[in-house]
Structures are given as structure tokens and as C-alpha cells.
Amino acid sequence: MGTCLLMLLAFYGTVSLAEASKCDEDTIKKIKELWGEHSPKILETAVANGKEVVIATTPFYYDVDRKCVYSIFVKDKDQYKIINTEVPKSGSAITTVLPINEYEGYTNVPEKTVRRYYVLYEGGVQLLYKCSTDGEIGPAEAAIKVRASGYDKDKLSEARDIAKKLDMNLSTEFPESCLDC
């Protein structure tokens, strides 16, 4: 593959990682209330989980032609990285490797305005709220990811219930076969 094509694929793969509605302070306040006294430990847990697979999102969280999406977090020296792979319904998988930082209950790519708040991160299940510190106000964007090697089905039900309470419309479902991608 030519260098220009690889660069284009890398850029294209980051588009869905970069777009988000403006962060809603009321939603963030509700998320922090759900945490109680401690925000979740994100990156250490993600590295230990291994492969994590997206099973549901709000509309347009990822491009509409995606069949499966999964990620693996790694620690390289002092920097964590996310290896995100989006599998389209037709064509080749798009893999993007980006550095990622953790703050109190959320992650972001350095020098980017998109944050991913970990609403729930227990039992191999994650409910993420994606938002931007700038941009337009819009509907809440969210995703549920599960650990590919197994997860607590009760925590999955809990994540879906919390998403409904926070007005996160998880109407895009990914097939269970994505766990094997």
C-alpha cells in the first residue's frame, strides 16, 4: 500500500474518533454522581481487559457502514495508546493507533477536545459518554463496550438502563459475532 493511502486511511479512521457534540455539564454532573466517591480507573483496567468490543452506540458514533468496532489499549513506556479497529460492512478494516491520556473519569487524545467519560466501568462492561469541550450542542453520544473474553451480563443490563436514564439513545446495535472479530 502506498504511503499516501496509508495516511488517508489513518486520517479517515480518526474522523469518528474526533467528532462529538459539546459536553453537557448536567450529564457530566449525573455521571459523577453515579461514580460516588471515586471515578473509575480507566487505562490500567483497559490494558488488563485486552480486546474490548463495541456492542451498541448512539446514531453516528461511528460511520454508518461499520459492521464491528473493537479496541485494545497498551502501555508503551510512559504513554498509553489505543489501537482502534473499525470493520466496515465491505472493504478492509481501518486501524488507528493514538496516544491516550486519563483524567478524572475520562480519557482523551492529547491536544484534542473530545472526551470519553466512563459512566460505568465494571464487570467487563463500559458505558461511555463522548463529548467535546467545544463545538455544537447536540444529543448525547454514547457507546457500550464489553470485554471480548467475557463480561457480566447483569452489568450490561445496568449499563443499558443508565444510558436510558441519561437520554442516550443506543439504537445502533452491533452483532454478537463482533466479539470474534
Side-chain angles (χ1 to χ4, degrees):
M1 228 184 258
T3 304
C4 290
L5 182 56
L6 283 174
M7 288 174 52
L8 179 62
L9 286 176
F11 172 75
Y12 183 72
T14 63
V15 171
S16 64
L17 287 171
E19 297 172 358
S21 299
K22 186 169 179 69
C23 293
D24 179 65
E25 292 304 318
D26 288 338
T27 300
I28 294 168
K29 181 180 177 187
K30 290 174 187 174
I31 291 168
K32 288 180 177 181
E33 288 171 2
L34 289 168
W35 294 338
E37 293 186 27
H38 303 287
S39 62
K41 297 291 179 214
I42 302 166
L43 295 177
E44 286 179 21
T45 304
V47 169
N49 277 347
K51 184 174 153 186
E52 299 174 334
V53 181
V54 175
I55 62 166
T57 66
T58 53
F60 310 113
Y61 193 97
Y62 289 104
D63 290 336
V64 295
D65 76 333
R66 296 300 182 246
K67 177 174 73 174
C68 297
V69 178
Y70 61 92
S71 57
I72 299 170
F73 289 80
V74 296
K75 188 172 183 183
D76 183 21
K77 298 178 185 163
D78 291 335
Q79 178 66 61
Y80 285 95
K81 293 182 181 178
I82 181 173
I83 304 166
N84 195 69
T85 301
E86 298 181 32
V87 181
K89 292 177 183 168
S90 63
S92 299
I94 301 163
T95 299
T96 307
V97 179
L98 296 167
I100 193 159
N101 294 329
E102 177 176 348
Y103 300 94
E104 185 182 349
Y106 72 89
T107 61
N108 82 326
V109 173
E111 300 179 21
K112 300 291 182 188
T113 63
V114 173
R115 295 179 176 182
R116 282 175 182 74
Y117 283 88
Y118 284 66
V119 182
L120 175 81
Y121 201 9
E122 297 175 25
V125 176
Q126 303 166 45
L127 171 59
L128 306 169
Y129 167 58
K130 180 175 83 168
C131 64
S132 177
T133 57
D134 60 11
E136 301 290 321
I137 294 174
E141 297 179 48
I144 293 180
K145 291 171 63 176
V146 297
R147 184 177 49 219
S149 62
Y151 58 92
D152 183 328
K153 300 227 187 268
D154 290 336
K155 287 295 176 187
L156 177 57
S157 293
E158 183 180 343
R160 289 184 184 280
D161 290 343
I162 292 170
K164 285 180 188 172
K165 289 177 186 172
L166 294 175
D167 294 322
M168 297 172 176
N169 176 20
L170 297 171
S171 62
T172 303
E173 298 282 336
F174 291 87
E176 205 164 302
S177 63
C178 287
L179 290 172
D180 300 323
C181 280

